[in-house]
Amino acid sequence: MLSFKLLRSAILFLSLSVSLSSCFSRYIISAKEVRRHYADKKVKPKEIFIKNDTLSLSLASMGPDTLPMLLLIHGAPGSLWGYMNLMDDEDLQKHFHIVSVDRVGYGKSRLKKRRYVTSIETQAHALLPVFSLNKSDQKVIVLGRSYGAPIAARLVSLASEQVKELIMVSPVIDPETERFFWFSKWGRLSFVQLFLPASFNAATAEKYSHADELRKLLPVWEKLSVPTTVIQGGNDWIADPSNIDFAKKHIKSKRAQYIFLYNAGHMITFSHAAMIKEMLLKSRLFQDKITALEPRGEEMGNE
């Protein structure tokens, strides 16, 4: 009887692990998929490592470092390869040195003796060395999405003199609207984690610390001085759409603008890639105080 119960539990855990992996498979890109993606492309990214005694950062670089840098920061789970659609854009390649980075705890980026890094402060400080790759005479544009958005904001606050603009897409920044799902608690079980990708386990660790970490970030918002754009979708099932209201309330800068896409989901950098591209190329295409790009009820399709 005991053996049967153990077998049943094992099957349950394995099934759960497969289910959890499937839920987020769209956010995880394997090395094999990356190789296949770039096999026939003329322009390929250059993989770079920034290392010191305590830190190893993995990055992908596209284009000459003498062009203005566009720094891309992913969410959770995720990786630097989650921005391949922007990295591969020929027009963006002509105008930017595109740098996408694995946050510490994801991909090949690590802090010494740290398996996961749930601190927004630590994550942001770990990204500071990336600015050394900017060899242009212009400041950096920093774009962060989802869980990467608050880290991008803290990074910008630490090096505002080196930043031209901050763009937060589908940001998870309001500590009071952190969303938990049916599978969240199961992802914390050590036995289940054995069968899950490392990036999923890192994301789970972040999720259960995220609200507290966002509360620590509250003083930062009102001190943001660089031009800031917040883009939020009305059908976002991961980042509550009210995150844009939180941004409007707490970001005091008059150089902030807010774009609400009523029918967009969470993956705006894919579903509205053309809009993001136009913003970057025209730099400040949208004027201050814009609040919506789509009329309510307009059909934009699914992400």
Side-chain angles (χ1 to χ4, degrees):
M1 180 63 71
L2 181 60
S3 297
F4 175 75
K5 288 183 178 180
L6 288 174
L7 178 61
R8 186 176 62 180
S9 298
I11 293 173
L12 174 62
F13 280 127
L14 286 171
S15 300
L16 180 62
S17 300
V18 171
S19 177
L20 291 173
S21 297
S22 298
C23 285
F24 286 95
S25 60
R26 63 180 296 187
Y27 303 104
I28 301 171
I29 301 171
S30 68
K32 182 178 180 180
E33 290 173 316
V34 172
R35 288 193 298 270
R36 186 164 59 237
H37 177 84
Y38 284 107
D40 299 321
K41 290 189 179 295
K42 294 181 180 179
V43 181
K44 297 175 173 43
K46 179 181 179 182
E47 292 190 64
I48 299 173
F49 286 93
I50 297 177
K51 294 184 178 182
N52 58 36
D53 291 341
T54 59
L55 173 69
S56 178
L57 274 183
S58 173
L59 310 96
S61 168
M62 189 77 84
D65 59 10
T66 52
L67 290 175
M69 181 188 287
L70 169 61
L71 175 57
L72 306 173
I73 303 173
H74 66 81
S79 76
L80 62 86
W81 301 115
Y83 284 108
M84 284 195 297
N85 66 318
L86 297 181
M87 294 167 63
D88 293 345
D89 188 277
E90 293 182 0
D91 293 323
L92 292 179
Q93 290 172 3
K94 293 175 183 176
H95 290 85
F96 293 104
H97 174 212
I98 307 172
V99 176
S100 187
V101 59
D102 271 331
R103 297 196 284 108
V104 288
Y106 293 87
K108 299 175 183 177
S109 292
R110 292 290 183 271
L111 274 177
K112 189 176 182 180
K113 298 180 180 180
R114 300 282 293 274
R115 185 181 181 191
Y116 307 129
V117 178
T118 59
S119 165
I120 290 176
E121 186 76 12
T122 303
Q123 286 268 357
H125 273 88
L127 294 178
L128 282 172
V130 179
F131 288 114
S132 66
L133 300 178
N134 182 23
K135 306 303 181 183
S136 74
D137 59 358
Q138 297 189 42
K139 295 182 178 182
V140 178
I141 295 177
V142 179
L143 186 154
R145 71 179 177 209
S146 193
Y147 271 47
I151 293 168
R154 182 54 179 143
L155 174 65
V156 167
S157 74
L158 293 171
S160 57
E161 72 285 351
Q162 299 185 63
V163 177
K164 177 182 180 181
E165 184 172 359
L166 167 66
I167 302 173
M168 296 191 290
V169 183
S170 307
V172 185
I173 55 178
D174 183 353
E176 307 309 321
T177 61
E178 184 76 23
R179 286 181 171 177
F180 289 86
F181 308 100
W182 66 267
F183 47 78
S184 297
K185 63 180 181 180
W186 296 105
R188 301 184 78 187
L189 297 175
S190 57
F191 184 83
V192 174
Q193 289 183 351
L194 292 173
F195 300 93
L196 296 177
S199 59
F200 181 90
N201 294 330
T204 300
E206 275 191 82
K207 171 165 278 295
Y208 278 89
S209 302
H210 205 237
D212 288 339
E213 287 298 312
L214 289 176
R215 292 186 184 97
K216 296 176 186 177
L217 201 64
L218 287 173
V220 172
W221 299 114
E222 63 183 26
K223 297 177 182 178
L224 279 178
S225 58
V226 305
T228 300
T229 300
V230 181
I231 307 173
Q232 177 65 56
N235 286 332
D236 194 329
W237 68 281
I238 294 176
D240 192 289
S242 66
N243 273 281
I244 198 168
D245 299 318
F246 175 90
K248 291 178 183 178
K249 178 180 178 181
H250 291 275
I251 297 176
K252 304 300 182 182
S253 174
K254 293 182 179 180
R255 295 194 293 172
Q257 61 183 354
Y258 307 94
I259 301 169
F260 191 80
L261 306 172
Y262 287 106
N263 299 290
H266 191 63
M267 300 301 288
I268 289 174
T269 52
F270 288 93
S271 64
H272 291 71
M275 183 196 79
I276 300 291
K277 171 182 173 179
E278 192 170 10
M279 283 184 64
L280 293 168
L281 292 178
K282 292 191 175 181
S283 188
R284 309 303 293 167
L285 168 68
F286 301 105
Q287 300 302 311
D288 287 351
K289 306 302 181 183
I290 189 167
T291 57
L293 196 64
E294 303 168 5
R296 191 182 299 274
E298 182 179 344
E299 294 297 324
M300 293 295 295
N302 296 322
E303 291 189 297

